[in-house]
Amino acid sequence: DTGVSQDPRHKITKRGQNVTFRCDPISEHNRLYWYRQTLGQGPEFLTYFQNEAQLEKSRLLSDRFSAERPKGSFSTLEIQRTEQGDSAMYLCASSPSRGPAFFGQGTRLTVV
Amino acid sequence: GQQVMQIPQYQHVQEGEDFTTYCNSSTTLSNIQWYKQRPGGHPVFLIQLVKSGEVKKQKRLTFQFGEAKKNSSLHITATQTTDVGTYFCNSGNTGKLIFGQGTTLQVKP
């Protein structure tokens, strides 16, 4: 499968725990995006990378959130000290520069 | 920063009726992208328009890019229940691909 893959697909965690999600983009895509989506809303931009460089991070994102793309290929999104409000679908997408984005199936996070 | 607005936010139609969603910007866009998200699914890229006045068709879907490259529309002819979902427009002007709330289409059989 040459599409965007995300792991895990589902994650249930207790409040206060740390979680990490992984995204493997389409191999020739140099841009990688992270979004968060809750029911009835559009995808909310979190951050994006051009190769290994993190070009922008949403100001709405608290410092509990961090993302990396160390070798310009896969990326990880970590949430520290999770809160119930972090429960959402976390979507990853990749694209060529200024091209359309192709999304993974997402990681659904539930914080209990 | 640049913002692309989409209307309407919701549309309910009877199966077989036509449907149109509009995307408007106050600034000139380098391109426009359209996505569809089915309930419970992830956004799926449909098409990208680049040229002024461009019209592209995908079966019952017709996409237009305005002459001034400030607006775009997606028209669905004779809707079917499989068209249900949220349609998003997006511009590649800025690198970060901001999504709005889109237009959610409900089709009554």
Side-chain angles (χ1 to χ4, degrees), chain A residues 24-35:
Chain A
D24 287 89
I26 294 171
S27 58
E28 60 267 28
H29 286 179
N30 54 12
R31 287 197 174 176
L32 186 147
Y33 311 83
W34 283 101
Y35 296 89

Side-chain angles (χ1 to χ4, degrees), chain A residues 61-82:
Chain A
L61 214 57
S62 79
D63 55 11
R64 296 185 297 107
F65 288 71
S66 61
E68 293 184 340
R69 194 183 184 196
K71 297 182 180 179
S73 56
F74 75 92
S75 176
T76 57
L77 176 69
E78 181 183 17
I79 309 174
Q80 295 181 328
R81 304 180 302 282
T82 52

